[in-house]
Amino acid sequence: MSARGASKTRDSLTIMYLMKTIFICTVAICTICISPIQTLAAENPTAIFHAFDQQYSELEKFVCKIGKQGYSHIQISPGQKSNPAPEWWARYQPVDYSIIEGRGSLFNLKKLISQAHNCNVKVIADVVFNHMANLDGNDEFEDLTKFPGLFISDFNSDSNHPGKKSCRINYSDGNRDSEINCWLGGLPDLRFTNNVKTIQKAHLKKLLNLGIDGFRFDAAKHLPADVVKEYISYVEQESQGKAWNYVEVITDRDTSAEDYNWIAAVTDFALYNSIKNAFTRSGDLRLLRMTTGINDSHSVTFGRNHDTIREINSNAINPYSDPSDSYLATAYVLARESGTPLILNWDNRDSSFIKYGVKFRQIMHQRGNQGKNIKENILTGVDSPTVLLMERGSEGFFVVNKGENKFHIPVLDLTLTNLDGCYRELRNNFTVAIEHREQGQKFITRWVSWNRGGMEVQKRDALYFIREPFNQCQV
């Protein structure tokens, strides 16, 4: 081949190479245009310890103990400067978003977050954006000039009398205007002007810079959904998708969870009501075979929370008459596969079994991540209004007895269940064996010892069992 021919061939190959490169780059660019950029999704909490009204310095001392129990997150009281009254509700009456002065200083909060992260516990901050404080103690009027950085035009109030309550909330008038635009009690209602949103986003940014891992948006049902969406989008952007958020939505005739759960996880008060009906003394646990709750596996679930306790709320939401009923309900919440349990600090302290429910949930979560079967299923083999038996696939099971008497059944057929092998109860550390017998049937052949099968549960008790190698039952 001549030098001229070789040169021509090289030129042709070069052109073909360039065209191929341009084609590949064009396809890549188009692919990027068509396919949205995927952001990191925050991991859903295993269980949240609600450090209700506790000092940040106090939490710093035992946050690692909470982590060892199985909690993945701890939720703290609102951090902004608030109504100076000492009661817990004053933390939910903001005065100045630019200052950290909740249940401790900025320094206290920073130390708590650092210690929590040292033991792999994440911190959720409570934020209150619907309203400001009632400093004058007057439910009808407030001096709106007392709040740094805010103007009278940043509030919903009587147009002829700035600072005067403009309207009262009607929770059953068929629309949500009053829920969003009227004062909640005597608390000055904020309008979401550019100024208000700038101040509140700066508060979110300050907390994120301190290391906060997510947020609870208080009284979200009183905020326009598009504003809640804007704030959570801002958090996702600033945290690069690493922050986990949920919103407080107390449902009523005008407000449903679906108004907000397209934005983030919501508080499942519908499930709370369903569970409470079953766990009260006159209730029937068989009702829980078909629970009524939000159709969202990530909704925040609870046996009770601070809004449902009569002792601290004059207008408590559907409270229990007997707190011990709520402990058993909380035990059930922790045993479930779905939901994000929020556990009140008092209940974690006062109940003998709740902390073991947290550990059970952590173990089930870990085994689920390993690809093991942890599917939740309430078993009908125990047909009792006071006793509920739930399997978590083949990896564990839960039993609760809300009755006033010990529950005893000498023979329990579990043939149609996933349970098989040896299981250990977490709190009492005894073992249970489930084995095949004649004609392929499965029974509990050991309950504590080989001298007895069936099942025995003490009154007002909850038990959590995890699967172990079968040789553990032979000890």
Side-chain angles (χ1 to χ4, degrees), residues 2 11 18 28 160 200 215 226 291 294 317 339 363 416 443:
S2 67
D11 290 345
L18 289 172
N160 296 318
Q200 293 182 338
F215 296 93
D226 61 330
T291 55
I294 298 169
I317 301 167
I363 293 170
L416 300 179
F443 295 92

Side-chain angles (χ1 to χ4, degrees), residues 25 28 122 165 173 187 219 228 233 275 278 363 367 398 415 457:
C25 292
K122 296 182 178 180
K165 182 189 291 190
D173 61 354
L187 303 171
V228 177
S233 295
I275 293 171
I363 293 170
R367 294 187 181 183
F398 163 75
T415 304
V457 187

Side-chain angles (χ1 to χ4, degrees), residues 78 80-85 87-97 101 127-139 142 147 184-188 218:
Q80 80 287 324
K81 184 177 180 180
S82 307
N83 185 326
E87 290 82 2
W88 70 268
W89 47 259
R91 308 286 72 71
Y92 290 84
Q93 295 192 12
V95 170
D96 188 346
Y97 291 108
E101 190 182 280
V127 291
V128 187
F129 286 165
N130 174 68
H131 53 259
M132 300 302 286
N134 178 352
L135 295 175
D136 293 333
N138 187 332
D139 284 353
E142 184 65 43
F147 305 109
L184 181 59
L187 303 171
D218 178 71

